[in-house]
């Protein structure tokens, strides 16, 4: 599996995705907002988050590039808004990589099942690199 680039934006991910699609001549990407995600009664969605991009993906010259807005209240630093996403069909590998990467790092989201992945987690490693690790079922390339 390849390592994918994931860009985070501060409320303007849709504008960025549409801009890059024009620049690179790609098909208009599918964009999912936080408001379109399945609701979680234990974590009600604030009104200001509903229109923000939860996930979008496009292929730029054959490489997958993913986009999202940061959730309201989450930290955002322009220039440090890129993280690496590693998707694999082997849950054991994902768990091993996650455990090693979190040594000396900071967990952002513990490995867990989500509506888009049966095994997903994110962390910042001891060098300050943010990683997202996700199970890929082989049916699509955009389930992180």
């Amino acid at each position: 599996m390849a390592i994918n680039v994931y860009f985070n934006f501060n409320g303007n991910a849709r504008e960025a995705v549409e801009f890059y699609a024009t620049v690179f001549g790609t098909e208009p990407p599918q964009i999912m907002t936080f408001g379109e995600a399945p609701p979680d009664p234990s974590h009600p969605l604030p009104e200001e988050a509903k229109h923000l991009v939860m996930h979008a993906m496009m292929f730029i010259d054959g490489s997958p590039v993913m986009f999202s807005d940061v959730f309201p209240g989450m930290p955002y630093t322009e220039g440090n808004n890129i993280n690496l996403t590693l998707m694999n069909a082997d849950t054991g590998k994902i768990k091993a990589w996650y455990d090693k990467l979190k040594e000396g790092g900071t967990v952002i989201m513990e490995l867990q099942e989500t509506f888009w992945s049966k095994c997903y987690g994110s962390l910042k490693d001891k060098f300050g690199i943010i990683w997202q690790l996700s199970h890929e079922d082989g049916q699509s390339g955009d389930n992180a």
Side-chain angles (χ1 to χ4, degrees), residues 6-78:
Y6 207 116
F7 292 109
N8 291 297
F9 293 87
N10 197 22
N12 60 343
R14 181 179 299 275
E15 178 185 356
V17 168
E18 291 169 354
F19 171 75
Y20 292 126
T22 301
V23 168
F24 296 106
T26 70
E27 293 292 320
Q30 295 282 330
I31 297 175
M32 178 182 198
T33 64
F34 285 103
E36 294 170 327
D40 180 351
S42 62
H43 296 95
L45 189 63
E47 193 62 38
E48 67 269 21
K50 290 181 179 178
H51 73 283
L52 296 175
V53 173
M54 180 178 176
H55 181 76
M57 183 178 136
M58 70 173 61
F59 286 88
I60 297 175
D61 200 27
S63 296
V65 180
M66 296 176 279
F67 303 79
S68 71
D69 283 309
V70 294
F71 199 78
M74 298 296 289
Y76 173 84
T77 304
E78 190 171 309

Side-chain angles (χ1 to χ4, degrees), residues 83-119:
N83 47 96
L84 301 176
T85 303
L86 186 55
M87 297 184 293
N88 196 286
D90 185 335
T91 304
K93 281 185 181 180
I94 293 169
K95 290 177 181 178
W97 293 333
Y98 184 88
D99 288 341
K100 289 176 183 173
L101 285 167
K102 78 177 183 180
E103 290 176 15
T106 305
V107 171
I108 297 169
M109 184 174 173
E110 288 288 349
L111 277 179
Q112 59 190 276
E113 185 169 345
T114 65
F115 74 87
W116 69 86
S117 174
K118 74 176 189 178
C119 183

